[in-house]
Amino acid sequence: TEFANLGGSPPQAATVAVIGRFVVLAGISGQPYRVQWSGLNSVITWTAGTLQSDLQDLSDGGRVLDIAGGDQFGVIFQESSIRSMVYVPGSPVIFEILRIATNDGILTTGCAVSAGDTIFFISPQGFKKIVPGGYPEPIGKEKCDRTFFAELDTANLQFVMAATDPNTTRVYWSYKSATGSASLFDKIIV
């Protein structure tokens, strides 16, 4: 009934994703530009160079705010950059990390979600999706984007949260509007 700390001394992180057979962390305490992953099939291995565990500091694109992924690929969301993360078996780099968007990023931590093989997120330009091997595509159709940004309480971005319904094809974003009660979600876009 209680959670316990993960063994192997992983760093404290704001976000976590499972990409293939690795646990990947971002928003790492004291290392805002870093992405770090566990050993292959070993969630308790966090020493770089052991069982393919390693880390990568991203020198540009801003802080790493979120990460999402699945069996085949991951996406690293920074303040002003988006990068793909693809496992390369047998390579000394372990993950190939490539920039797939510049002057685009994620609005805040927690607003990206994986649904099947697609990642949905909110960028500062609006609602978008990324499919494996693809680039960010807008899905807000202007009306959703305009409504969301007109209502959003920009001083409380910690209340923006993405979720997916595993039984349907719906993705949800809850948020606090500028007119909503303090410290409460009061809107949702589906």
Side-chain angles (χ1 to χ4, degrees):
T1 60
E2 294 183 16
F3 290 99
N5 288 335
L6 185 63
S9 303
Q12 289 184 337
T15 64
V16 61
V18 175
I19 299 173
R21 296 179 292 164
F22 296 87
V23 174
V24 183
L25 305 176
I28 296 173
S29 180
Q31 301 291 336
Y33 307 101
R34 178 171 289 174
V35 176
Q36 187 168 347
W37 53 92
S38 71
L40 178 68
N41 293 324
S42 180
V43 298
I44 60 169
T45 301
W46 293 93
T47 302
T50 304
L51 295 176
Q52 299 185 24
S53 177
D54 209 348
L55 57 91
Q56 179 69 48
D57 291 318
L58 305 173
S59 61
D60 59 358
R63 295 175 299 142
V64 179
L65 297 178
D66 216 337
I67 189 162
D71 289 339
Q72 303 300 319
F73 80 113
V75 175
I76 301 167
F77 294 98
Q78 296 174 262
E79 291 170 309
S80 62
S81 189
I82 300 173
R83 300 172 192 262
S84 66
M85 185 174 184
V86 178
Y87 178 53
V88 186
S91 170
V93 297
I94 298 138
F95 280 99
E96 183 178 61
I97 298 175
L98 300 172
R99 186 186 322 266
I100 59 173
T102 56
N103 299 320
D104 198 0
I106 195 162
L107 182 65
T108 188
T109 300
C111 68
V113 64
S114 297
D117 64 351
T118 304
I119 297 171
F120 296 90
F121 68 102
I122 306 171
S123 89
Q125 292 84 32
F127 293 88
K128 296 188 178 186
K129 72 175 183 175
I130 300 175
V131 297
Y135 298 94
E137 299 174 44
I139 61 169
K141 303 294 184 193
E142 293 189 37
K143 183 176 181 179
C144 289
D145 294 342
R146 283 193 310 267
T147 299
F148 173 77
F149 286 112
E151 294 179 343
L152 179 65
D153 182 350
T154 57
N156 285 289
L157 293 179
Q158 73 273 17
F159 290 106
V160 178
M161 184 180 295
T164 183
D165 184 337
N167 298 318
T168 67
T169 57
R170 292 182 183 92
V171 176
Y172 306 87
W173 285 275
S174 61
Y175 60 99
K176 181 190 173 306
S177 71
T179 59
S181 299
S183 301
L184 296 174
F185 297 96
D186 66 322
K187 298 280 185 165
I188 191 164
I189 288 183
V190 182

